Each structure stands twice: as structure tokens, then as C-alpha cells.
């Protein structure tokens, strides 16, 4: 936050949920700064606390509401933004009088003026939810012709009235050598359990020029690893008329000065083309890392989910990955207790996970989501059974991922140093994405010269759960001293 003596109005931006929300918050921060606001992340002394909420599942919704209630205790004006606000709008405003405003994505382009009005005591009409898929044409290539607010797609060059020196509509809220970079927004898939497309909208890619410009800017702020995020990265380019756009973009991003690692997240197995698989597995500077959205492996369950695949097809896909990059990282999420799931389906999922050798597995128990097809399905699995199956699958996942980490003992990994802390030098190998896939602790006499952003070759000496311990062998690339 800025100096308390400064009369500039202050806003605290609190971000919940996924990495996509983090990118959205940093775009909001840039817009607010351009509008004369001082932006930080601490509520103390702020005139407004804006919570960029998550609206994906029940626990995330509750965390968002709890955070808004806590913000009201600060004495600042409270504004709800983000996915929960977009999804429920006026309904949320009616049930949460502690919030001074509930703003949707369409409020983002003139967000500074909205906060000016709120602080001045004016009433800002709460967002009225609508299915954002209906705002864009069904045909992907026609979507570029329609102006729709897309969080995280801000380009300073296209914003009237903003300072000409702003190359990218983004202001970093957190320091560090890693940052997320948005490829696209929205999703055209119709998974029966997922409400995200209804409030995030249809799939829209950012142009390669916009992405490269933002990557170059992030590198100037000390970023060394880019994590490419979207709702569905394997769809990138289909609305640009180029289904291989990501194949071409990845080597360009890896070549950006200062960037030493590019990581792709949110891959759909059914859309992972052989050429993209090969690009991710073999391109220097691109992490051989596969964040694959399997969700289940039993064919009957997948069909009810409106998804594709099977245990054998998924294992074949992972085999193709490892044929090109034997040490490649692979992670996934699975849903347990989907309507109609049988004991045989659970056994099939267990078989898949046991044979898949994944580095990280997220296990979620199914629950109905408003507005989804699955909410109306018959054959619901009881809450108690969902809980038991989830606990059992989570225990299996923990054991399998620990075994996979143990397999890496004795191998060499390339570690990006994230931070130097009281417990030592902590970083991540190529198979470890930020915050979700474990870390690598570097130990040895040479660690004293390391700093955040260094890229280090190290030999794995031990594992603990999904975490690794490794001894540095050599520094592959030094972080700039100013980073």
C-alpha cells in the first residue's frame, strides 16, 4: 500500500480461486492505477476492498462469502467481483448486504469510475447475470468481430484514454520469478457437471502478438517462468483460424529474453493433437508437463459427463508422452461420486490411477452445481457414499503420487528457484507447477549463492510425499541481479 499521508484513494485487491483469476486481478489493478487509484493487497487503510471471488464449487463459494464478510469488518467499502459475482449478481447482492456493490465482467473496462462512484456514496446497480455463451456467435471464427468484455484480455493499445507508454494492461500484485499468462477465456465444451462456460462464456483466444507482448513485459519485471492458463488450452487458435497456433506460439514464448521455462496448463485429453503433444514434450524451454483433465476413466461415467475417453485411451496417451519425454510430468483431477457411478466404475478409476503413474492427482467429490445438466440427473450417489469414495480415492492418490516421486530419486531435474526461506532454497522441477504439484528443496554447500529465478540442474536425493530433495549440480541460467 502507499504512504498513509498520500491522499490518493486506495483499493485492496484480494484474489481467490485459480491462476486465471490472478491474471484478471492484475488487469484490474492496471485499470485502477490508470484511473488514479493506489492498488495493493492489504485491507488496512484501504478505502475499498475488492474481492475477486471464485464461484466454481461449494467450498470456493463459501470462502468467497467469508472473505467478503471479513472485508466488511475493515471499515472500507466492499466490492464483490469475479466469478461468484458474475454468476449470481443481484442474488448475491440481496443475500449479502455487507457488500456495497456486486460487479460483473462488463463493469471491468471502467472499473476505476465504478469505484469512484461507490466511494462517493452513489449506488452502483448490481450485475444482472446472463449466460455469457449467448453473447458471442456459435462459429468460433466469427467471435473476433463482436466486442465483449473478456477479463484478462486487456491490451493497452486498444484502450482509449490510457497512457501511451502502457504496453500491457497489467500490473503485478505479487513479486516472484513465476507468473501466469492468459491464453484464452471461456469454453465451448458442455461437460454435464460444469457451470463455468455459462458465466465465463464461449471460447475466445488472445492473439499471439498480445500474448508475446505480455510475455516480454513480464520478463522485464523479473519473471522467469510463464504458466499459460485458460479454461481449455488445447482449443487455442480455433477462433483465429489456426488450430496449430499453440504449436507455433510455444517456441516463440520460450525464446523471449529472460524466460527460461514455459508451462502449459489445462489440457483436454480429447483435443490433444499429436503435434501439440510433441511440441510440449520436445521443445527446449517448454516444460514437458501435461496437465490433463481426465475427470474419470470409466467409459459409462465419462459418457454421462459428456466427455470422451477410457482407461486404455488415457494410458495410451500417457505412453505417447513418455515415449517422447520419459521424465515428463503429468497431473490430473478426478471426480468421484458422479450420478450413476457404480462400484465397478470406481474400481476402473482405481485401475487407471494405479497404472498411470501421475505426479499429482486432485480428487473431488461430486456435488450438484446450479444450472448444470448433471444437477437434474437421476441415480444420485448418496452424500455419505460420495464422501467415503472420495476419502478412499484421495488416500490412493497420495500413495501413488508419493511412489511416483520416489521413482525420481537418483535422477536429475532442472529446478527453478522460487524463494530463499528459513528452511532453505525452495524451487520446482519441470514436473511441478506452482502451488499444486509439490516442491523441490535444494540442499548442499553451493546453495548459498542461489537466488530466486536461478535455473539449477540438481540430483534428486530423497522424496517426501510429492516433494523432492535435491543437491545442486550446476547453475544452468542465472537470474538477473535486479530481478
Amino acid at each position: 500500500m502507499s504512504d498513509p499521508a498520500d491522499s490518493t484513494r486506495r483499493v485492496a485487491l484480494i484474489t481467490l480461486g485459480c491462476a486465471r483469476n490472478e491474471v484478471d486481478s492484475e488487469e484490474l489493478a492496471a485499470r485502477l492505477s490508470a484511473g488514479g487509484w493506489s492498488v495493493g493487497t492489504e485491507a488496512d487503510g484501504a478505502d475499498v476492498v475488492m474481492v475477486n471471488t471464485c464461484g466454481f464449487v461449494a467450498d470456493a463459494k463459501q470462502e468467497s462469502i467469508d472473505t467478503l464478510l471479513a472485508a466488511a469488518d475493515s471499515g472500507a467499502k466492499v466490492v464483490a467481483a469475479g466469478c461468484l459475482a458474475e454468476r449470481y449478481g443481484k442474488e448475491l447482492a440481496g443475500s449479502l448486504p455487507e457488500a456495497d456493490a456486486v460487479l460483473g465482467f462488463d463493469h471491468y473496462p471502467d472499473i476505476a469510475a465504478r469505484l469512484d462512484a461507490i466511494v462517493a456514496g452513489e449506488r452502483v446497480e448490481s450485475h444482472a447475470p446472463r449466460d455469457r455463451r449467448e453473447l458471442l456467435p456459435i462459429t468460433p471464427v466469427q467471435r473476433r468481430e463482436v466486442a465483449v468484455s473478456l477479463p484478462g484480455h486487456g491490451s493497452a493499445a486498444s484502450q482509449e484514454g490510457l497512457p501511451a507508454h502502457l504496453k500491457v494492461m497489467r500490473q503485478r500484485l505479487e513479486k516472484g520469478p513465476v507468473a501466469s499468462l492468459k491464453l484464452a477465456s471461456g469454453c465451448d465444451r458442455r461437460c454435464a457437471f460444469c457451470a463455468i462456460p455459462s458465466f465465463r462464456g464461449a471460447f475466445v483466444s488472445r492473439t499471439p502478438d498480445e500474448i508475446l507482448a505480455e510475455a516480454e513485459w513480464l520478463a522485464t519485471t523479473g519473471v522467469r517462468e510463464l504458466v499459460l492458463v485458460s479454461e481449455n488450452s488445447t482449443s487455442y487458435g480455433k477462433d483465429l483460424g489456426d488450430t496449430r497456433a499453440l504449436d507455433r506460439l510455444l517456441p516463440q514464448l520460450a525464446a523471449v529474453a529472460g524466460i527460461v521455462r514455459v508451462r502449459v496448463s489445462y489440457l483436454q485429453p480429447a483435443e490433444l493433437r499429436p503435434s501439440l503433444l510433441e511440441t510440449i514434450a520436445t521443445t527446449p524451454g517448454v516444460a514437458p508437463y501435461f496437465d490433463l483433465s481426465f475427470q474419470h476413466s470409466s467409459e459409462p461415467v465419462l459418457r454421462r459427463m459428456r466427455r470422451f475417453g477410457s482407461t486404455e485411451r488415457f494410458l495410451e496417451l500417457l505412453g505417447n508422452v513418455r515415449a517422447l519425454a520419459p521424465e515428463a510430468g503429468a497431473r490430473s483431477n478426478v471426480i468421484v461420486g458422479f450420478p450413476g457411478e457404480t462400484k465397478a466404475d470406481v474400481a476402473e478409476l482405481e485401475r487407471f490411477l494405479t497404472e498411470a503413474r501421475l505426479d499429482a492427482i486432485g480428487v473431488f467429490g461430486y456435488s450438484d452445481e446450479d444450472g448444470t445438466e448433471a444437477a437434474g440427473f437421476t441415480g444420485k450417489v448418496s452424500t455419505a457414499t460420495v464422501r467415503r469414495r472420495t476419502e478412499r480415492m484421495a488416500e490412493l492418490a497420495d500413495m501413488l503420487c508419493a511412489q511416483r516421486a520416489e521413482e525420481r530419486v537418483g535422477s536429475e531435474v532442472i529446478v527453478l528457484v522460487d524463494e530463499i526461506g528459513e528452511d532453505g532454497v525452495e524451487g520446482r522441477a519441470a514436473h511441478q507447477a506452482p502451488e499444486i504439484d509439490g516442491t523441490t528443496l535444494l540442499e548442499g554447500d553451493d546453495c548459498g549463492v542461489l537466488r530466486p529465478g536461478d535455473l539449477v540442474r540438481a540430483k534428486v536425493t530423497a522424496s517426501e510425499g510429492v516433494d523432492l530433495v535435491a543437491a545442486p549440480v550446476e547453475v544452468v541460467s542465472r537470474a538477473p541481479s535486479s530481478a
Side-chain angles (χ1 to χ4, degrees):
M1 301 299 285
S2 59
D3 191 310
D6 189 340
S7 61
T8 301
R9 285 175 173 169
R10 302 172 181 83
V11 56
L13 258 172
I14 299 175
T15 306
L16 305 176
C18 64
R20 300 185 295 274
N21 257 16
E22 294 172 6
V23 177
D24 296 351
S25 285
E26 294 194 346
E27 181 191 309
L28 286 169
R31 292 184 182 279
L32 288 163
S33 292
W37 284 80
S38 174
V39 184
T41 57
E42 299 295 332
D44 291 346
D47 298 285
V48 175
V49 177
M50 176 182 288
V51 181
N52 188 355
T53 60
C54 179
F56 182 37
V57 293
D59 288 347
K61 295 175 193 175
Q62 189 59 54
E63 182 186 11
S64 295
I65 291 170
D66 291 344
T67 304
L68 288 163
L69 292 172
D73 293 336
S74 70
K77 297 286 187 180
V78 176
V79 174
C83 291
L84 188 70
E86 175 65 37
R87 187 174 179 183
Y88 293 105
K90 292 184 175 181
E91 179 184 343
L92 177 63
S95 62
L96 196 71
E98 292 84 356
D100 294 277
V102 176
L103 306 182
F105 298 152
D106 293 332
H107 292 107
Y108 285 17
D110 60 349
I111 191 66
R114 302 288 181 170
L115 295 201
D116 288 341
I118 291 166
V119 169
E122 299 176 22
R123 182 177 181 274
V124 174
E125 188 70 19
S126 294
H127 164 67
R130 54 183 170 173
D131 190 332
R132 294 191 73 84
R133 291 171 293 193
E134 299 174 357
L135 302 180
L136 291 166
I138 294 176
T139 305
V141 294
Q142 295 178 348
R143 294 172 188 167
R144 320 260 354 140
E145 304 169 6
V146 181
V148 173
S149 180
L150 299 168
H153 285 231
S155 169
S158 66
Q159 305 297 322
E160 295 183 4
L162 290 173
H165 70 276
L166 286 179
K167 185 177 182 180
V168 172
M169 181 58 63
R170 184 166 179 177
Q171 176 177 317
R172 293 196 73 191
L173 294 171
E174 301 289 345
K175 300 294 185 181
V178 60
S180 296
L181 176 57
K182 185 169 280 192
L183 282 175
S185 287
C187 185
D188 289 339
R189 300 184 70 86
R190 293 294 182 268
C191 301
F193 55 83
C194 184
I196 289 176
S198 66
F199 58 85
R200 276 289 183 176
F203 184 88
V204 179
S205 303
R206 299 179 70 195
T207 66
D209 287 348
E210 289 175 355
I211 294 169
L212 285 166
E214 189 164 324
E216 291 168 358
W217 175 80
L218 286 167
T220 67
T221 72
V223 170
R224 303 273 280 164
E225 177 176 330
L226 300 171
V227 181
L228 306 184
V229 299
S230 69
E231 275 76 26
N232 179 5
S233 297
T234 34
S235 282
Y236 179 75
K238 72 176 186 179
D239 53 325
L240 303 175
D242 184 1
T243 57
R244 294 195 173 186
L246 189 54
D247 304 34
R248 283 180 264 276
L249 178 61
L250 286 172
Q252 293 177 284
L253 288 169
V256 170
I259 299 300
V260 295
R261 179 184 287 164
V262 179
R263 183 184 304 276
V264 188
S265 58
Y266 304 108
L267 300 170
Q268 288 290 341
E271 297 180 33
L272 185 55
R273 304 176 309 281
S275 63
L276 179 57
L277 187 156
E278 182 176 358
T279 298
I280 296 173
T282 64
T283 302
V286 175
Y289 173 81
F290 292 82
D291 176 13
L292 295 160
S293 177
F294 291 127
Q295 304 300 348
H296 212 285
S297 72
S298 167
E299 284 194 79
V301 174
L302 287 167
R303 297 303 173 268
R304 287 193 294 274
M305 287 180 167
R306 305 289 183 244
R307 295 179 65 83
F308 304 95
S310 66
T311 293
E312 301 309 326
R313 289 176 65 181
F314 293 160
L315 290 175
E316 180 182 8
L317 174 60
L318 290 168
N320 293 338
V321 166
R322 288 165 180 148
L324 292 169
E327 297 302 316
R331 82 169 322 274
S332 191
N333 295 323
V334 297
I335 297 173
V336 180
F338 192 77
E341 183 188 64
T342 65
K343 291 181 179 179
D345 296 324
V346 175
E348 182 68 359
L349 179 57
E350 290 177 342
R351 180 173 80 87
F352 167 66
L353 295 180
T354 301
E355 297 183 29
R357 296 171 60 234
L358 298 173
D359 293 278
I361 304 166
V363 179
F364 297 90
Y366 172 82
S367 61
D368 288 338
E369 279 295 312
D370 297 337
T372 62
E373 183 182 6
F377 282 1
T378 58
K380 295 289 174 63
V381 180
S382 73
T383 301
T385 300
V386 171
R387 184 173 61 253
R388 285 196 303 271
R389 290 179 181 178
T390 303
E391 291 172 352
R392 172 181 163 188
M393 201 66 66
E395 289 178 2
L396 175 64
D398 288 345
M399 181 187 72
L400 293 171
C401 292
Q403 289 176 354
R404 178 64 179 139
E406 189 174 358
E407 290 176 11
R408 295 186 182 275
V409 174
S411 68
E412 287 194 345
V413 292
I414 304 296
V415 178
L416 181 78
V417 176
D418 282 329
E419 61 182 0
I420 313 296
E422 294 181 359
D423 296 329
V425 179
E426 189 173 278
R428 289 171 296 102
H431 69 279
Q432 295 171 320
E435 299 182 3
I436 58 173
D437 294 338
T439 60
T440 297
L441 182 67
L442 295 175
E443 293 183 341
D445 295 338
D446 297 331
C447 288
V449 300
L450 298 178
R451 57 177 179 250
D454 284 348
L455 196 66
V456 181
R457 184 186 307 278
K459 185 170 184 177
V460 180
T461 58
S463 66
E464 184 176 346
V466 296
D467 298 327
L468 302 179
V469 179
V473 175
E474 65 171 330
V475 177
V476 177
S477 176
R478 279 282 186 195
S481 57
S482 59

